[in-house]
Every structure is written in C-alpha cells, then in structure tokens.
Amino acid sequence: MSTHDYGSIELAVIGGTGLYKLTMLEDEKAMTAATPYGMPSGPVRIGLLGEHRIAFLARHGEDHSLPPHKVNYRANLWLLKEIGATRVLAVNAVGGIGERYAPRAIGIPDQIIDYTWGRVGTYCEEPGTDVLHVDMTEPYTPSLRAALHAAARDAGIAVVDGGCYGATQGPRLETKAEIARLRRDGCDLVGMTGMPEAGLARELGLEYASLALVANWAAGCGDAAEITMKEVHTNLDQATARIPHLIAALLQTLEHA
Ligand code: HPA
C-alpha cells in the first residue's frame, strides 16, 4: 500500500465512545488492511472536510464491540501511519476528578499516568526489533496541543487546558477509593483508552494529542451515589456535538501554522 493512494492526510482522528463516525466527511472512502500486529478496530474512513483530507477510525469499532483492553492499539496506529498520517487527534471519553473537569467539559490533557495492565504497550518486542526507550516527558505533542487550544479559541468553544489523565484498565468503572488514589497521584481525569495509545504513537513518531470529553464525575467526585450510563451518554452527546466544529477549526489552524 502506498501513501499516495489516499492523498495527503492532514489529520487522523481516533474516535472514542460516542464518536463512531464523522458525518461531515465528503467524498469518503473506507479502507482497511491487516498490519504486522493484526487487524485494526475497523475501517479507516478517509474523506474531505472542506479542502482538508482527514482519516477517521472508531477505536472501539463502529458498533462499539471492543472494550478498552481488547482494542488493538498497535494495529490502529500502524495503519494510520501506513496510509500517511503524521498527526493523530485522539478523542477520549473520561470521568472528571478535578473541579475544572465537570461533566460536558472538553479537556486537552498534558500528562498521563498509566494504571493499565496486560496490554501490549510497545512495538519493540518482536525478535530482531530495536528496543526504543522513547522520551515521554511530554506525552502529548505540545505543538498539536497548542494548535488545538488556538482552534478552540477561534471556534468559540470552551476547553480546559492541561490536566493529568489517569489511564485505568476498565471496562468496569473505578471504586471511590481508586479515584481518591488517582486524585492523590495528581490525576484530573480518568479514562480507559489513553494508554498504551499515547506511548505507541510516540514510538511511531506520530504527533498525538487528546480531546477528553467529560462524561461524568468520576466515582465519589460528584453528589450522585452512583454513575449511570444514561448520564454518561447524555453528557457525551453534548460534548461530542462540538467536536466536528473543533476539528474543522483545528485544520484551519494547522494550515496557517
Ligand atoms: N472512569 C473511567 N473511564 C471513563 C469514565 C470514568 O468515570 N467515564 C468515561 N470514561
């Protein structure tokens, strides 16, 4: 497969819970391919947003059949790179821990702590592969974060700048004590898909940033005795509705950077 088959892809978007398609894509073509690491979560949809060519992949599959620990993060990122993407915007549903991250807020986190386990988190384990110890001081690409921030300002969309994302194993939600521990560790947000995706993107040399959509107060952080899927989906729908506008503004910002 050659990158030329798909034109120059300015941005690849990985959609999380609640974002399974970008309906505004024009001239859309779907493709998929096996990678050396297996099959990705589903088709990559490549199309135009105005004059900008972007690629979209639903992390959990278009029918949300893959739980966070079963997502083939390696195959997803590998395929996006293979078709010529150099920048990845990850959309992640999260729970809010810090008070800036109330339900329906959109955050642009700048740090991660990885609490996941048993996920393959590197491309450096096949025999004969060079072992890379990639720098993760800044796990999200600062220039892409800055572009996102500028785009949100231009589009008049409120975003919360910065914050530490705690990546948990799922698929169950956390206990109150687990969230209290994450808070003590300095986490502002909690989600199940931030890792190993960010580390793998760094190994592949991809620019990578996250839009974290707050679906609920994390366990024990709000007034509610428990987290319901109804509130999760209602809040995510609200936050997700702003994403296409934000992506369009990001493409403008990147074009003029
Ligand atoms: N915890 C972990 N992941 C999540 C949450 C949460 O409370 N809400 C949405 N994704």
Side-chain angles (χ1 to χ4, degrees):
M1 182 191 347
S2 125
T3 55
H4 301 296
D5 297 343
Y6 301 103
S8 159
I9 291 170
E10 292 168 58
L11 182 72
V13 178
I14 300 181
T17 301
L19 184 62
Y20 305 107
K21 251 193 179 156
L22 287 181
T23 47
M24 74 286 196
L25 277 192
E26 286 174 6
D27 193 24
E28 184 190 292
K29 293 186 179 58
M31 62 79 63
T32 194
T35 76
Y37 306 96
M39 291 303 288
S41 298
V44 178
R45 298 186 177 274
I46 301 166
L48 289 172
L49 186 49
E51 293 167 355
H52 304 279
R53 186 170 302 280
I54 71 171
F56 178 84
L57 173 63
R59 184 187 288 111
H60 298 280
E62 291 183 349
D63 56 355
H64 200 127
S65 53
L66 292 166
H69 64 294
K70 292 284 188 194
V71 170
N72 191 340
Y73 297 94
R74 292 201 298 181
N76 288 351
L77 289 165
W78 188 269
L79 184 59
L80 293 176
K81 179 161 175 158
E82 185 86 2
I83 61 172
T86 59
R87 281 185 196 117
V88 175
L89 176 64
V91 181
N92 303 93
V94 296
I97 300 174
E99 60 187 31
R100 294 193 301 158
Y101 285 98
R104 303 187 184 186
I106 299 179
I108 308 175
D110 62 353
Q111 280 298 325
I112 312 185
I113 299 178
D114 189 2
Y115 301 91
T116 66
W117 47 270
R119 303 182 184 188
V120 187
T122 180
Y123 290 100
C124 305
E125 60 170 22
E126 275 66 34
T129 338
D130 287 342
V131 177
L132 296 176
H133 296 288
V134 289
D135 174 66
M136 282 292 277
T137 310
E138 298 293 343
Y140 299 105
T141 307
S143 56
L144 190 53
R145 288 190 63 252
L148 260 179
H149 201 253
R153 189 194 52 220
D154 293 349
I157 296 173
V159 289
V160 185
D161 191 20
C164 181
Y165 178 116
T168 55
Q169 180 69 0
R172 67 166 177 81
L173 295 166
E174 298 74 29
T175 66
K176 238 199 298 192
E178 286 168 336
I179 293 297
R181 171 190 171 206
L182 264 65
R183 188 195 286 280
R184 287 194 298 277
D185 284 354
C187 296
D188 302 291
L189 305 162
V190 56
M192 302 172 189
T193 52
M195 280 292 198
E197 204 172 81
L200 291 166
R202 184 60 52 84
E203 284 192 356
L204 291 181
L206 295 165
E207 291 184 30
Y208 182 87
S210 160
L211 278 179
L213 312 186
V214 184
N216 53 279
W217 284 117
C221 297
D223 296 332
E226 60 180 53
I227 299 164
T228 66
M229 280 305 113
K230 185 164 179 287
E231 70 169 300
V232 164
H233 290 298
T234 307
N235 292 329
L236 273 184
D237 285 349
Q238 289 275 341
T240 304
R242 283 168 271 162
I243 297 303
H245 195 189
L246 196 41
I247 292 174
L250 176 63
L251 289 163
Q252 290 292 328
T253 308
L254 292 170
E255 185 182 349
H256 298 116

